Amino acid sequence: MKKKTGFLGTLYKNRVAYAYIAPFFILFGVFNLFPMLAGFALSFFRWDGLSAMHFIKFDNYINLFKDVLFWKALKNTLLIGIIAHIPILLGGLVLAYILNSKLVKGQNIFKTIYFMPMVTSSVAISIIFMNLFGYNYGLINYFLSLFGEAPVNWLGGDGSLIKVAVIVMFAWKWIGWNMVIYLAGMQGISNDIYEAAEIDGANHVQIVFRILIPLLKPIILFTLIQSTIGMFNLFTEPFILTNSNWSGGTNNGGLTLMMYLLNKAPQGGNAYGYASAVAYVITVMIVVISIVLNKVTAEKDPANTKKRGRK
């Protein structure tokens, strides 16, 4: 019998291994790869889910970029995400450093408390924040009244303050997630580095900015990308805070990209081709932001700078 060579020979030789990993690739192809390709193809059609599909080339994408509401949703999403990332990153880093430095007792209790928002229902959280930012019976307005201030219509009015409530809720939810990841990274750093810095007279601020942040840069990048994806997926919180209003409340103040997408299909309408185009535009944005963040981090990495210098 002639021995098989080349690709077929390798395939036959490792047939048992390929048989074991085949279920994963089959399931991935059926439930992941095929829907992604089908959704991308659908973005070039006009389809309401029932009638015949009509090929319209790039019309969905052209109409998308002409839609004022899309740009409003994009502006709201970026504004919420950029402002919320400041307390998310810094707050998570500070909390992780405090727990790692043994400045407080009962670290496990605090870990559980800080991480609890990530495992709590978004609907329940949104209802709580509705009571906090409520106009007539809100807790925040109650404290403002104690100082003689007039109540603020956070979730109504001209719609400009809806984003404040969403930012507070978004940041509160993600701080605990980042804290746990940063804490795991800090615990992987040798205590000898901390001790050497303390011997040299470094204070806590210098340790954080001169030692921890440079060593945690890959982990910070990971959490930044994760929370960026969460930013573009933001839906439940602003939707409930605006009383299930698909337009995002007054003057579209709480409208996000995910609300805009789901309002087209399948929740608010049946423009499935248009909704697919919106989904892929969001996907491209996430990919571009991730690549930019990786490039910026790589350029500031001393190791990469030395490599480029040798070349």
XYZ file of all heavy atoms in Angstrom, residues 103-165:
493
model
N -4.184 47.005 53.329
C -4.502 48.191 54.125
C -5.827 48.047 54.863
O -6.108 48.793 55.794
C -4.558 49.432 53.218
C -3.224 49.845 52.578
C -3.438 51.022 51.635
C -2.194 50.201 53.646
N -6.643 47.092 54.434
C -7.920 46.837 55.094
C -8.028 45.353 55.414
O -7.369 44.516 54.807
C -9.103 47.265 54.190
C -9.103 48.752 53.967
C -9.068 46.523 52.860
N -8.887 45.055 56.377
C -9.120 43.671 56.740
C -10.400 43.168 56.070
O -11.259 43.943 55.695
C -9.236 43.535 58.260
C -7.953 43.896 59.007
C -8.125 43.709 60.506
C -6.839 44.055 61.256
N -6.992 43.884 62.726
N -10.501 41.847 55.957
C -11.670 41.252 55.332
C -11.711 41.461 53.834
O -12.739 41.879 53.276
N -10.566 41.172 53.159
C -10.494 41.407 51.719
C -11.538 40.614 50.947
O -12.102 41.110 49.956
C -9.091 41.051 51.200
C -7.991 42.013 51.592
C -7.406 41.706 52.954
O -7.901 40.826 53.650
N -6.368 42.439 53.329
N -11.812 39.389 51.353
C -12.773 38.552 50.620
C -14.186 39.150 50.639
O -14.922 39.051 49.661
C -12.796 37.145 51.217
C -11.514 36.374 50.954
O -10.840 36.623 49.955
N -11.159 35.472 51.851
N -14.532 39.778 51.754
C -15.854 40.417 51.844
C -15.948 41.572 50.862
O -16.939 41.724 50.131
C -16.119 40.904 53.283
C -16.151 39.707 54.250
C -17.419 41.696 53.350
C -16.296 40.095 55.697
N -14.893 42.396 50.809
C -14.890 43.534 49.891
C -14.856 43.081 48.439
O -15.470 43.705 47.573
C -13.706 44.450 50.191
C -13.896 45.291 51.423
C -13.283 44.952 52.614
C -14.702 46.426 51.388
C -13.461 45.720 53.747
C -14.882 47.209 52.512
C -14.268 46.853 53.703
N -14.140 41.997 48.148
C -14.121 41.465 46.780
C -15.528 41.089 46.347
O -15.953 41.388 45.222
C -13.211 40.238 46.705
C -11.735 40.516 46.869
C -10.958 39.204 46.828
C -9.522 39.399 47.230
N -8.772 38.116 47.286
N -16.251 40.420 47.237
C -17.615 39.996 46.921
C -18.532 41.189 46.717
O -19.333 41.229 45.772
C -18.169 39.109 48.054
O -17.300 37.994 48.252
C -19.557 38.607 47.709
N -18.406 42.202 47.583
C -19.263 43.386 47.494
C -19.007 44.141 46.194
O -19.943 44.532 45.485
C -19.037 44.305 48.706
C -19.522 43.618 49.994
C -19.751 45.639 48.504
C -19.197 44.384 51.250
N -17.733 44.334 45.845
C -17.395 45.102 44.653
C -17.746 44.359 43.363
O -18.069 44.983 42.348
C -15.904 45.455 44.648
C -15.516 46.450 45.716
C -14.381 46.271 46.500
C -16.289 47.584 45.936
C -14.024 47.182 47.475
C -15.941 48.504 46.919
C -14.811 48.293 47.680
O -14.462 49.198 48.650
N -17.664 43.029 43.398
C -17.939 42.252 42.186
C -19.427 41.961 42.017
O -19.861 41.582 40.922
C -17.158 40.931 42.231
C -17.152 40.193 40.924
C -16.382 40.636 39.870
C -17.913 39.051 40.753
C -16.370 39.965 38.664
C -17.903 38.362 39.549
C -17.125 38.830 38.498
N -20.208 42.149 43.067
C -21.636 41.811 43.023
C -22.404 42.495 41.890
O -23.297 41.876 41.284
C -22.277 42.127 44.375
C -23.660 41.527 44.552
S -24.267 41.776 46.242
C -23.111 40.749 47.156
N -22.127 43.764 41.536
C -22.878 44.378 40.429
C -22.784 43.619 39.110
O -23.712 43.663 38.308
C -22.238 45.770 40.308
C -21.717 46.059 41.665
C -21.256 44.742 42.203
N -21.659 42.905 38.877
C -21.497 42.187 37.617
C -22.396 40.958 37.531
O -22.724 40.502 36.440
C -20.037 41.761 37.437
C -19.105 42.888 37.050
S -19.547 43.703 35.493
C -19.485 42.332 34.348
N -22.775 40.393 38.663
C -23.594 39.175 38.656
C -25.038 39.471 39.047
O -25.843 38.550 39.161
C -22.997 38.111 39.605
C -21.628 37.666 39.118
C -22.902 38.634 41.036
N -25.343 40.745 39.247
C -26.713 41.141 39.580
C -27.463 41.476 38.293
O -26.888 41.999 37.338
C -26.706 42.360 40.512
O -25.922 42.069 41.675
C -28.117 42.714 40.944
N -28.733 41.164 38.263
C -29.551 41.428 37.088
C -29.520 42.911 36.717
O -29.692 43.783 37.573
C -30.996 40.993 37.350
O -31.851 41.452 36.326
N -29.297 43.176 35.426
C -29.270 44.564 34.957
C -30.622 45.241 35.153
O -30.693 46.452 35.395
C -28.877 44.608 33.477
O -27.576 44.120 33.287
N -31.690 44.470 35.054
C -33.029 45.028 35.254
C -33.196 45.497 36.703
O -33.689 46.601 36.967
C -34.111 43.998 34.898
C -35.495 44.545 35.204
C -34.010 43.605 33.424
N -32.765 44.645 37.651
C -32.867 45.014 39.070
C -32.025 46.250 39.373
O -32.469 47.164 40.095
C -32.424 43.844 39.943
N -30.822 46.302 38.796
C -29.953 47.463 39.005
C -30.591 48.723 38.443
O -30.575 49.792 39.072
C -28.576 47.213 38.353
C -27.844 46.071 39.076
C -27.730 48.481 38.389
C -26.565 45.653 38.404
N -31.181 48.598 37.262
C -31.802 49.759 36.617
C -32.969 50.292 37.431
O -33.169 51.509 37.530
C -32.259 49.386 35.208
O -31.174 48.946 34.417
N -33.747 49.384 38.016
C -34.882 49.806 38.841
C -34.393 50.560 40.073
O -34.979 51.574 40.482
C -35.738 48.587 39.244
C -36.412 47.993 38.001
C -36.785 48.974 40.278
C -37.152 46.710 38.267
N -33.309 50.078 40.665
C -32.735 50.761 41.837
C -32.287 52.169 41.453
O -32.540 53.152 42.178
C -31.562 49.953 42.407
C -32.072 48.640 43.011
C -30.798 50.763 43.456
C -30.977 47.702 43.452
N -31.625 52.287 40.303
C -31.140 53.600 39.885
C -32.284 54.518 39.473
O -32.155 55.740 39.554
C -30.127 53.446 38.747
C -28.720 53.245 39.234
C -28.274 51.993 39.619
C -27.843 54.309 39.327
C -26.991 51.801 40.080
C -26.555 54.133 39.793
C -26.117 52.886 40.168
N -33.399 53.933 39.013
C -34.582 54.761 38.739
C -35.078 55.410 40.020
O -35.499 56.577 40.030
C -35.681 53.903 38.119
C -35.480 53.565 36.654
S -36.859 52.621 35.970
C -38.181 53.837 36.061
N -35.029 54.658 41.125
C -35.437 55.211 42.414
C -34.423 56.231 42.932
O -34.790 57.187 43.613
C -35.618 54.087 43.434
C -36.802 53.196 43.115
O -37.830 53.673 42.661
N -36.656 51.895 43.323
N -33.165 56.033 42.625
C -32.147 56.985 43.054
C -32.285 58.320 42.318
O -32.199 59.388 42.917
C -30.744 56.409 42.818
C -30.257 55.320 43.770
C -28.910 54.775 43.307
C -30.131 55.862 45.187
N -32.507 58.228 40.993
C -32.555 59.436 40.169
C -33.985 59.905 39.880
O -34.186 60.745 39.006
C -31.828 59.190 38.838
C -30.336 59.109 38.969
C -29.696 57.892 39.138
C -29.564 60.259 38.920
C -28.316 57.809 39.250
C -28.189 60.198 39.035
C -27.561 58.966 39.200
N -34.966 59.363 40.580
C -36.345 59.772 40.368
C -36.554 61.242 40.678
O -35.856 61.836 41.504
N -37.545 61.827 40.013
C -37.787 63.270 40.163
C -38.516 63.597 41.461
O -38.080 64.444 42.234
C -38.581 63.779 38.958
C -38.886 65.249 39.027
C -37.861 66.198 38.913
C -40.197 65.709 39.197
C -38.137 67.557 38.976
C -40.477 67.067 39.250
C -39.439 67.982 39.146
O -39.711 69.327 39.220
N -39.617 62.914 41.716
C -40.439 63.239 42.890
C -39.983 62.524 44.153
O -40.008 63.100 45.245
C -41.904 62.898 42.603
C -42.495 63.800 41.539
O -42.238 64.994 41.524
N -43.284 63.224 40.632
N -39.595 61.258 44.024
C -39.259 60.461 45.211
C -37.842 59.908 45.154
O -37.515 58.953 45.852
C -40.260 59.306 45.358
C -41.696 59.759 45.391
C -42.505 59.635 44.270
C -42.235 60.329 46.538
C -43.832 60.062 44.289
C -43.556 60.756 46.574
C -44.344 60.621 45.442
O -45.644 61.043 45.462
N -37.002 60.482 44.314
C -35.633 59.997 44.187
C -34.785 60.322 45.401
O -34.940 61.384 46.027
N -33.889 59.402 45.746
C -33.048 59.594 46.922
C -32.081 60.764 46.737
O -31.810 61.514 47.686
C -32.279 58.301 47.208
C -31.493 58.234 48.519
C -32.424 58.387 49.703
C -30.723 56.925 48.610
N -31.563 60.924 45.526
C -30.618 62.020 45.280
C -31.316 63.371 45.431
O -30.777 64.305 46.066
C -29.992 61.886 43.879
C -29.132 60.621 43.807
C -29.151 63.114 43.534
C -28.537 60.361 42.450
N -32.517 63.487 44.881
C -33.257 64.747 45.025
C -33.652 65.005 46.471
O -33.773 66.165 46.903
C -34.506 64.732 44.140
C -34.182 65.059 42.689
O -33.133 65.634 42.397
N -35.072 64.692 41.788
N -33.852 63.927 47.223
C -34.175 64.100 48.640
C -32.999 64.745 49.380
O -33.189 65.683 50.175
C -34.506 62.747 49.268
C -34.616 62.791 50.772
C -35.719 63.357 51.411
C -33.582 62.273 51.569
C -35.799 63.415 52.796
C -33.662 62.319 52.950
C -34.770 62.892 53.567
O -34.843 62.946 54.936
N -31.789 64.272 49.114
C -30.618 64.864 49.764
C -30.388 66.289 49.278
O -29.936 67.147 50.048
C -29.373 64.002 49.494
C -29.317 62.770 50.339
C -29.459 61.515 49.779
C -29.113 62.850 51.704
C -29.415 60.372 50.553
C -29.063 61.723 52.499
C -29.218 60.473 51.926
N -30.700 66.559 48.000
C -30.571 67.929 47.506
C -31.550 68.860 48.220
O -31.228 70.017 48.506
C -30.826 67.966 45.997
C -29.753 67.358 45.103
C -30.190 67.395 43.645
C -28.415 68.085 45.268
N -32.744 68.346 48.510
C -33.743 69.172 49.201
C -33.304 69.520 50.621
O -33.713 70.550 51.170
C -35.089 68.440 49.229
O -35.018 67.267 50.035
N -32.482 68.656 51.231
C -31.988 68.951 52.578
C -31.102 70.193 52.593
O -30.954 70.850 53.636
C -31.211 67.744 53.127
C -32.009 66.450 53.326
C -31.098 65.345 53.842
C -33.175 66.665 54.291
N -30.494 70.493 51.438
C -29.637 71.675 51.333
C -30.360 72.837 50.651
O -29.731 73.814 50.241
C -28.365 71.334 50.548
C -27.507 70.315 51.225
C -27.621 68.968 50.903
C -26.590 70.686 52.201
C -26.822 68.018 51.518
C -25.788 69.755 52.826
C -25.904 68.409 52.496
N -31.693 72.692 50.527
C -32.488 73.763 49.955
C -32.450 73.843 48.448
O -32.864 74.866 47.871
N -31.964 72.814 47.791
C -31.883 72.811 46.333
C -33.175 72.278 45.730
O -33.845 71.414 46.303
C -30.700 71.954 45.861
C -29.348 72.444 46.343
C -28.957 73.758 45.685
O -29.459 74.032 44.574
O -28.175 74.513 46.289
N -33.514 72.786 44.564
C -34.713 72.333 43.861
C -34.461 70.941 43.267
O -33.320 70.605 42.913
C -35.066 73.310 42.741
N -35.486 70.100 43.159
C -35.296 68.758 42.582
C -34.869 68.833 41.117
O -35.280 69.734 40.384
C -36.681 68.116 42.729
C -37.626 69.251 42.846
C -36.882 70.341 43.554
N -34.042 67.891 40.723
C -33.520 67.836 39.358
C -34.209 66.710 38.611
O -34.314 65.593 39.115
C -31.990 67.616 39.360
C -31.468 67.535 37.931
C -31.291 68.732 40.131
N -34.665 66.997 37.413
C -35.328 65.980 36.589
C -34.250 65.224 35.801
O -34.020 65.471 34.614
C -36.339 66.629 35.650
C -37.285 65.602 35.040
O -37.137 64.395 35.247
N -38.256 66.074 34.277
N -33.584 64.282 36.482
C -32.460 63.571 35.886
C -32.862 62.764 34.651
O -32.133 62.741 33.659
C -31.841 62.616 36.915
C -31.317 63.275 38.141
C -31.957 63.427 39.327
C -30.042 63.904 38.300
N -31.165 64.091 40.230
C -29.976 64.400 39.623
C -28.948 64.084 37.446
C -28.869 65.065 40.107
C -27.835 64.749 37.926
C -27.798 65.234 39.245
N -33.992 62.107 34.723
C -34.402 61.184 33.659
C -35.388 61.811 32.683
O -35.925 61.112 31.822
C -35.018 59.919 34.276
C -34.125 59.198 35.297
C -34.846 57.996 35.870
C -32.799 58.791 34.662
N -35.639 63.094 32.808
C -36.566 63.775 31.906
C -35.995 65.106 31.488
O -34.867 65.198 31.030
N -36.788 66.158 31.650
C -36.321 67.484 31.271
C -36.005 67.569 29.794
O -36.770 67.097 28.950
N -34.833 68.147 29.485
C -34.421 68.241 28.084
C -33.628 67.021 27.629
O -33.136 66.977 26.500
C -33.607 69.515 27.852
C -32.336 69.549 28.698
O -32.121 68.605 29.501
O -31.553 70.507 28.562
N -33.481 66.028 28.520
C -32.791 64.784 28.170
C -31.294 64.804 28.343
O -30.639 63.769 28.191
N -30.708 65.944 28.672
C -29.247 66.050 28.767
C -28.681 65.340 29.990
O -27.502 64.955 29.992
C -28.828 67.520 28.787
O -29.403 68.186 29.913
N -29.501 65.161 31.044
C -29.003 64.547 32.277
C -29.230 63.041 32.330
O -28.793 62.388 33.283
C -29.669 65.207 33.485
C -29.355 66.687 33.692
C -30.109 67.231 34.889
C -27.852 66.898 33.873
N -29.892 62.481 31.324
C -30.086 61.026 31.305
C -28.740 60.323 31.246
O -28.513 59.296 31.893
C -30.962 60.620 30.108
C -32.357 61.241 30.229
C -31.062 59.102 29.997
C -33.250 60.976 29.039
N -27.818 60.901 30.493
C -26.494 60.293 30.344
C -25.747 60.248 31.671
O -24.921 59.365 31.890
C -25.682 61.057 29.293
C -26.164 60.809 27.865
C -25.283 61.496 26.849
C -25.587 62.956 26.747
N -26.913 63.225 26.168
N -26.024 61.218 32.561
C -25.364 61.217 33.871
C -25.735 59.956 34.641
O -24.869 59.269 35.210
C -25.750 62.477 34.672
C -25.160 62.417 36.080
C -25.289 63.734 33.945
N -27.021 59.628 34.656
C -27.478 58.429 35.357
C -26.900 57.170 34.727
O -26.479 56.241 35.432
C -29.008 58.373 35.348
